[in-house]
Amino acid sequence: MSLVKSISGIRGTIGGRVGEGLNPVDIVRFTAAYAVQRQKASDIRKIVVGRDARLSGHVVEPLVCGTLMSMGYDVINIGLASTPTTELAVTGENAAGGIILTASHNPKQWNALKLLNEKGEFLNDAEGKEVLAIAEKEDFSFAEVDELGHMICKDYLPYHVEKVMSLPLVKQAEIERKNYTVAIDCVNSVGGLAIPAILRALGVKNIIELNCEPTGQFAHNPEPLPKHLTEISELLKQGKADVGFVVDPDVDRLAIICENGEMFVEEYTLVSVADYVLSHTPGNTVSNLSSTRALRDITAKHGGTYSAAAVGEVNVVTEMKRTNAIIGGEGNGGVIYPECHYGRDALVGIALFLSALAEKDVKVSEWKKELPEYYISKNRIDLTPDVNVDEVLDVIKTVFKDEQLNTCDGVKIDFKQGWVHLRKSNTEPIIRVYSEAASMLEADRLAGMIIDRVNALILD
């Protein structure tokens, strides 16, 4: 059993002993700690709760809602809802915050409490650490009977769809005229509710639904990677749809499949949407250090400035606000469009992608060929627990001091022919090594060069 405590919340496998898995005692403890932190941050006594369709959701939800009400909070329970829907509900309700019950792309035995502030954004580093500290002390004061909170149940999906449809760059009439056939795979979670709803609003009449019943029994590994998407890829290879969309269980990541069954590649979800947005509203962009260089190229083409942030949505959002970026996100298919809200949102991604596709009047595979071509190689170095990763990374900085370095999150080395990003894991003794170049052969070569150098340092 696993329990992982971080600034963004608590996640773990269901069951096990206290402190070892995600169980009722720890769920109540961390929910109460979050409530105390929110009491310090806001006078509002209202919190939104939404969940994905995981099998454990019906157990976790009443524990969280009951604890919040026991802390004197009114709960706006929006039930089965995507992460971006929950984020929007927080501001829609003028709430003090929100809790999303989802383990994102993790397998079905996992669940998590993801914690939002009053803006519907993830807690920052200081706020997250404060929640962890409060949970450690367990110094809670629960409400007397007359001060208990109440629960109101609402459906916020229509609100979310309306927000997306109101975006000036969403071209419903043009999409409807194209009469696209769209295939979707929603991995038997809340995407099965949200994605058909946004497609119908966009005027898509022909929707091929795969795994859209929100049972929580994931039909395949829920992370939207090519090796897990064989069913929808085969359908598109047979010429049955113009495009395929795949989301993870909480619908903040979007993978796209070309009409010929080939992967559009998750890295290019943000790149393609940004190209469309920047062509109409030039400005700055942000992605994390492990995301493709293609976004930088596209941004420069449109006269904007690209910036890189540390890995993690909260870091990307912070950098977007600092640089006044008009679009950003992460290379895992996460599109953040502040015109709607500061959160990764697959509904926004789909609406903007189809609008661009209709405007360009090309096949998806043809559009992909127009974008800068890069390949990412993802590797890891397994370490013994006694290795000081920070010392290793410091040596790497010295060795490559003549190259362009970014050290806000590990070490990223920008070479002319590509880049390599080294990050230490917070949960296991490994260094993640991501590299990118104009060919997979070159990306692998760059990664291999760095891995060999690190291994030599460790053995020295």
Side-chain angles (χ1 to χ4, degrees):
M1 296 295 179
S2 299
L3 183 67
V4 181
K5 294 169 277 189
S6 71
I7 61 168
S8 60
I10 174 176
R11 66 185 174 93
T13 51
I14 294 297
R17 299 177 64 84
V18 174
E20 295 180 359
L22 191 63
N23 55 72
V25 174
D26 284 315
I27 291 168
V28 170
R29 182 160 63 102
F30 279 91
T31 301
Y34 169 73
V36 172
Q37 195 278 332
R38 287 290 87 197
Q39 286 169 359
K40 296 179 180 180
S42 172
D43 293 330
I44 299 170
R45 291 294 177 261
K46 181 164 52 174
I47 288 177
V48 173
V49 176
R51 71 177 181 93
D52 70 14
R54 288 172 185 274
L55 297 175
S56 58
H58 73 287
V59 172
V60 178
E61 179 187 86
L63 287 167
V64 168
C65 292
T67 302
L68 290 172
M69 287 186 285
S70 294
M71 296 293 290
Y73 276 93
D74 290 333
V75 173
I76 308 301
N77 187 346
I78 64 172
L80 291 173
S82 72
T83 284
T85 304
T86 310
E87 291 169 345
L88 283 167
V90 171
T91 53
E93 287 290 328
N94 188 32
I99 300 180
I100 311 164
L101 311 179
T102 176
S104 190
H105 60 272
N106 289 122
K108 69 178 183 179
Q109 64 268 33
W110 288 80
N111 212 329
L113 279 63
K114 293 189 175 182
L115 310 177
L116 303 174
N117 64 19
E118 72 281 359
K119 298 178 182 177
E121 300 166 14
F122 289 111
L123 299 187
N124 62 32
D125 183 74
E127 292 168 331
K129 287 178 178 176
E130 186 179 7
V131 171
L132 296 180
I134 294 168
E136 198 67 31
K137 293 179 182 177
E138 297 189 47
D139 185 19
F140 309 129
S141 178
F142 294 95
E144 300 289 340
V145 66
D146 292 328
E147 302 300 322
L148 294 173
H150 300 87
M151 184 162 64
I152 301 170
C153 296
K154 292 187 177 182
D155 178 8
Y156 253 86
L157 179 56
Y159 177 84
H160 187 177
V161 170
E162 183 180 345
K163 287 279 286 186
V164 174
M165 294 303 299
S166 69
L167 297 171
L169 289 183
V170 172
K171 307 297 184 182
Q172 188 272 342
E174 286 85 340
I175 294 170
E176 186 168 12
R177 275 198 293 271
K178 289 295 181 181
N179 196 32
Y180 290 127
T181 295
V182 177
I184 58 174
D185 182 345
C186 299
V187 73
N188 295 121
S189 190
V190 293
L193 304 173
I195 304 306
I198 190 63
L199 287 173
R200 286 192 293 268
L202 289 166
V204 178
K205 299 180 178 65
N206 309 310
I207 306 172
I208 302 173
E209 298 185 11
L210 301 177
N211 309 315
C212 283
E213 187 179 354
T215 62
Q217 292 284 7
F218 303 146
H220 52 76
N221 186 304
E223 187 164 15
L225 301 177
K227 61 184 178 181
H228 305 147
L229 308 180
T230 54
E231 183 183 10
I232 190 169
S233 296
E234 187 57 38
L235 187 150
L236 281 147
K237 283 178 185 177
Q238 297 171 10
K240 294 184 178 179
D242 297 294
V243 63
F245 294 124
V246 183
V247 294
D248 62 341
D250 69 326
V251 201
D252 60 358
R253 291 172 59 176
L254 172 64
I256 301 167
I257 303 174
C258 301
E259 81 291 340
N260 57 11
E262 295 178 359
M263 292 294 136
F264 194 74
V265 182
E266 245 190 332
E267 288 284 339
Y268 282 83
T269 298
L270 173 59
V271 175
S272 59
V273 170
D275 192 21
Y276 170 65
V277 170
L278 293 172
S279 69
H280 290 274
T281 52
N284 300 331
T285 66
V286 174
S287 65
N288 69 39
L289 286 171
S290 286
S291 297
T292 180
R293 186 181 276 185
L295 182 61
R296 184 197 69 176
D297 295 353
I298 288 293
T299 306
K301 181 183 79 171
H302 293 291
T305 300
Y306 165 78
S307 301
V311 173
E313 182 174 326
V314 66
N315 299 315
V316 173
V317 167
T318 298
E319 183 67 9
M320 288 179 70
K321 290 179 178 179
R322 187 188 74 81
T323 60
N324 198 29
I326 63 169
I327 190 165
E330 300 187 281
N332 59 9
V335 174
I336 302 173
Y337 188 44
E339 185 80 10
C340 188
H341 66 119
Y342 276 107
R344 295 182 301 175
D345 191 333
L347 277 70
V348 170
I350 286 172
L352 292 175
F353 186 88
L354 285 178
S355 297
L357 189 66
E359 179 180 273
K360 295 178 75 66
D361 194 25
V362 294
K363 292 181 178 179
V364 178
S365 61
E366 294 171 343
W367 185 9
K368 177 66 166 60
K369 291 176 183 177
E370 297 176 8
L371 299 169
E373 188 174 17
Y374 292 104
Y375 296 85
I376 286 185
S377 177
K378 298 183 179 182
N379 303 276
R380 58 186 274 173
I381 303 171
D382 292 284
L383 308 170
T384 56
D386 60 304
V387 173
N388 188 318
V389 178
D390 291 326
E391 288 183 2
V392 171
L393 295 181
D394 284 340
V395 174
I396 291 295
K397 294 176 198 174
T398 302
V399 171
F400 294 98
K401 64 181 185 300
D402 294 331
E403 305 292 344
Q404 184 179 336
L405 299 179
N406 188 318
T407 58
C408 76
D409 185 11
V411 182
K412 182 173 183 178
I413 312 163
D414 264 301
F415 302 100
K416 288 184 179 178
Q417 69 273 36
W419 55 262
V420 181
H421 185 203
L422 297 89
R423 294 177 64 237
K424 69 175 181 179
S425 169
N426 293 321
T427 57
E428 51 186 331
I430 67 170
I431 297 176
R432 302 191 189 282
V433 183
Y434 286 13
S435 60
E436 182 181 62
S439 70
M440 185 58 77
L441 186 67
E442 179 63 13
D444 287 337
R445 186 193 72 78
L446 287 172
M449 175 185 69
I450 300 297
I451 290 170
D452 288 345
R453 186 66 67 109
V454 171
N455 284 332
L457 288 170
I458 293 170
L459 294 173
D460 221 356

